[in-house]
């Protein structure tokens, strides 16, 4: 066989998938595993959304559809953005995609070329780094500091930004730390991007999962017309991970080209899925509110529990559904503690290093698990902690 494209050797996998595979293997051998590794809500998709998808199939929306997304979902998104971000994008600024991840991929390959530099948070969503490797752009990870509650500090961006910087990736509320950037911080980043003429990809996939915190979008500054690209989707807020539905909103010239790329890559996002998405945005938000309230109770329980484990300390995250305990007090590496917890405590979580080198010293727990499971997991971890606490 002739050699494959060299970019393929540079793509990285995702730790969560690997840990889930190992956890399943242990379960098959009879071991009980408590799951905290995967970032997906453990709630079903709300009934009215499922019903809209089923109805759309019944109504025959099962063929090819327009490439950038149907006008009806674009209109629902225009309303949504007007209500939540304070501006109304044009329909030509919106691109419907099969999931938010596709939006990251398209934005990065649509804006960056080898030799460019891309700034992103470390720890951060692994796809950002992986795609930098794949495209051949220089990764500029910015460390999220615990003393800044893991919020990306614009002053740290200022020290690394230069004429080669093409793209800054923001993610607030953030995976894996649950941090939420302040309005001042967001505005400072918008200013830096303008001064240095670079794009900003604002990954806002957790924008609806917030606890007593205000959400600010960097895209409000230029209304996603000049340099900012807003990414949001349905996976997390509406428990629709498997439906594969997300969108980006950006400058019309970029979106126009990306629609053509869509034509070549996957033609369209299934229309019955888009019709379910309309029901999600335009229908009742009660399930979302209930889900967020449940997440808040779990967050409080898991943070409290983690803070009782010898060698662990955990801040209270204001967004998303992840706890990010500092485990340096154990004297062990993140990977060693995560492995020990999986095999001895039967608790599947992720080592912080799955999110970048600056994740060393931390673990990520996705609290998409019941209060009972959280309580049981804390007991199991406490028992296992004799391994490092003596
Ligand atoms: C920060 C972040 N962005 C994007 C995504 C992708 O979401 P999806 O492709 O399911 O819409 C995720 C999923 O875990 C995420 O954590």
């Amino acid at each position: 066989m002739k050699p494959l494209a060299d970019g393929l050797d540079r793509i990285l996998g995702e730790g969560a998938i690997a840990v889930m595979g190992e956890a399943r293997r242990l379960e098959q051998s009879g071991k009980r595993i408590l799951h905290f590794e995967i970032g997906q809500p453990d709630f079903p998709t709300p009934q009215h959304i499922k019903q809209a998808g089923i109805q759309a199939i019944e109504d025959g929306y099962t063929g090819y559809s327009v490439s950038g997304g149907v006008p009806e979902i674009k209109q629902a998104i225009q309303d949504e953005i007007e209500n939540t971000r304070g501006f109304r994008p044009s329909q030509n600024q919106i691109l419907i995609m099969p999931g938010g991840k596709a939006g990251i991929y398209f934005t990065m390959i649509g804006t960056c070329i080898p030799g460019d530099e891309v700034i992103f948070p470390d720890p951060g969503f692994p796809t950002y780094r992986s795609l930098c490797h794949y495209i051949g752009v220089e990764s500029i990870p910015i460390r999220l500091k615990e003393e800044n509650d893991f919020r990306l500090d614009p002053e740290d961006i200022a020290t690394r930004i230069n004429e080669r910087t093409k793209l800054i990736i923001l993610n607030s509320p953030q995976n894996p730390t649950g941090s939420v950037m302040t309005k001042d911080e967001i505005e400072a980043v918008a200013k830096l991007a303008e001064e240095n003429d670079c794009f900003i990809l604002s990954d806002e996939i957790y924008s609806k999962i917030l606890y007593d915190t205000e959400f600010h979008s960097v895209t409000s500054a230029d209304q996603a017309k000049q340099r900012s690209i807003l990414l949001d989707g349905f996976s997390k807020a509406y428990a629709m991970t498997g439906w594969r539905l997300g969108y980006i909103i950006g400058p019309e010239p970029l979106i126009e080209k990306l629609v053509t790329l869509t034509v070549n890559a996957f033609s369209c996002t299934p229309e019955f899925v888009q019709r379910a998405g309309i029901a999600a945005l335009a229908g009742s938000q009660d399930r979302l509110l209930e889900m967020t309230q449940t997440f808040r109770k779990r967050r409080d329980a898991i943070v409290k529990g983690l803070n009782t484990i010898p060698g662990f300390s955990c801040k209270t995250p204001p967004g998303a559904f992840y706890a990010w305990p500092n485990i340096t007090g154990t004297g062990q590496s993140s990977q060693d503690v995560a492995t020990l917890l999986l095999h001895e405590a039967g608790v599947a979580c992720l080592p912080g290093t799955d999110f970048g080198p600056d994740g060393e010293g931390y673990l990520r727990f996705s609290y998409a698990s019941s209060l009972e499971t959280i309580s049981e997991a804390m007991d199991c971890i406490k028992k296992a902690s004799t391994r490092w606490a003596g």
Side-chain angles (χ1 to χ4, degrees):
M1 193 164 72
K2 287 190 172 167
L4 302 176
D6 61 350
L8 293 181
D9 292 329
R10 300 194 295 268
I11 309 180
L12 311 169
E14 244 185 68
I17 311 287
V19 172
M20 192 171 68
E22 177 66 358
R24 292 258 156 88
R25 199 188 57 74
L26 290 169
E27 278 171 330
Q28 273 157 12
S29 69
K31 193 166 168 61
R32 181 165 150 72
I33 301 290
L34 305 172
H35 291 274
F36 293 88
E37 73 276 35
I38 288 287
Q40 80 174 336
D42 55 326
F43 304 95
T45 305
Q47 189 57 33
H48 69 284
I49 302 177
K50 288 198 276 197
Q51 204 48 52
I54 292 165
Q55 191 60 50
I57 292 176
E58 297 284 3
D59 291 345
Y61 291 108
T62 52
Y64 289 129
S65 164
V66 276
S67 281
V70 297
E72 293 90 330
I73 193 169
K74 288 189 174 185
Q75 196 184 328
I77 290 169
Q78 286 175 301
D79 295 343
E80 161 76 8
I81 299 302
E82 193 164 3
N83 289 334
T84 55
R85 275 74 162 192
F87 69 96
R88 191 171 183 84
S90 74
Q91 293 225 344
N92 292 338
Q93 282 182 273
I94 303 173
L95 173 56
I96 310 298
M97 312 219 67
K101 242 183 200 173
I104 301 173
Y105 181 71
F106 268 43
T107 301
M108 290 184 72
I109 61 167
T111 55
C112 299
I113 54 170
D116 288 341
E117 293 185 359
V118 175
I119 288 176
F120 57 84
D122 185 352
F125 190 47
T127 297
Y128 311 144
R129 182 186 302 269
S130 177
L131 287 176
C132 283
H133 291 307
Y134 175 66
I135 299 167
V137 299
E138 183 126 3
S139 302
I140 310 291
I142 305 278
R143 190 167 84 86
L144 302 185
K145 296 168 290 198
E146 183 159 355
E147 57 272 27
N148 200 38
D149 291 332
F150 306 110
R151 296 190 316 273
L152 191 58
D153 186 342
E155 288 186 14
D156 291 334
I157 296 183
T159 62
R160 302 303 304 276
I161 201 164
N162 62 56
E163 66 284 355
R164 291 208 296 145
T165 309
K166 182 61 86 60
L167 178 69
I168 301 171
I169 304 179
L170 297 187
N171 176 214
S172 174
Q174 211 247 353
N175 177 9
T177 66
S179 68
V180 179
M181 290 176 75
T182 65
K183 187 165 188 271
D184 286 352
E185 287 163 343
I186 295 263
E187 284 174 358
V189 178
K191 193 158 169 274
L192 281 170
E194 195 185 336
E195 286 165 0
N196 291 274
D197 190 22
C198 48
F199 291 104
I200 305 178
L201 169 60
S202 185
D203 182 343
E204 303 179 3
I205 201 93
Y206 297 99
S207 62
K208 290 190 187 289
I209 305 177
L210 286 172
Y211 317 102
D212 304 325
T213 311
E214 274 185 37
F215 171 71
H216 297 284
S217 172
V218 71
T219 63
S220 303
D222 74 340
Q223 307 197 343
K225 282 187 180 136
Q226 298 295 325
R227 61 185 72 261
S228 70
I229 297 116
L230 187 160
L231 180 153
D232 206 339
F234 298 74
S235 290
K236 315 288 175 177
Y238 298 104
M240 291 177 73
T241 48
W243 292 73
R244 309 312 300 137
L245 184 62
Y247 57 88
I248 54 172
I249 302 176
E252 286 190 11
L254 170 69
I255 298 299
E256 189 189 342
K257 297 281 183 214
L258 295 184
V259 172
T260 313
L261 193 56
T262 301
V263 174
N264 289 276
F266 52 85
S267 297
C268 61
T269 304
E271 187 162 351
F272 54 87
V273 172
Q274 296 188 50
R275 304 238 159 230
I278 297 169
L281 290 179
S284 164
Q285 304 296 302
D286 289 354
R287 290 284 164 279
L288 164 66
L289 295 176
E290 281 168 25
M291 187 175 80
T292 320
Q293 276 163 12
T294 306
F295 274 146
R296 177 202 295 268
K297 288 191 194 128
R298 294 170 176 181
R299 175 198 67 162
D300 293 344
I302 198 165
V303 168
K304 196 165 164 218
L306 288 167
N307 277 314
T308 66
I309 310 288
F312 283 26
S313 70
C314 187
K315 290 200 158 182
T316 302
F321 44 82
Y322 305 113
W324 182 249
N326 179 324
I327 53 116
T328 48
T330 63
Q332 315 237 352
S333 73
S334 298
Q335 184 63 63
D336 286 351
V337 176
T339 306
L340 189 134
L341 292 186
L342 179 61
H343 290 270
E344 297 208 3
V347 174
C349 63
L350 301 182
T353 40
D354 278 358
F355 300 89
D358 286 321
E360 183 52 85
Y362 297 89
L363 296 176
R364 191 195 79 169
F365 288 78
S366 165
Y367 47 86
S369 291
S370 68
L371 282 172
E372 296 70 39
T373 307
I374 291 172
S375 163
E376 192 184 341
M378 294 306 121
D379 290 344
C380 296
I381 297 175
K382 210 171 270 175
K383 279 192 202 118
S385 70
T386 53
R387 290 290 300 273
W388 59 79

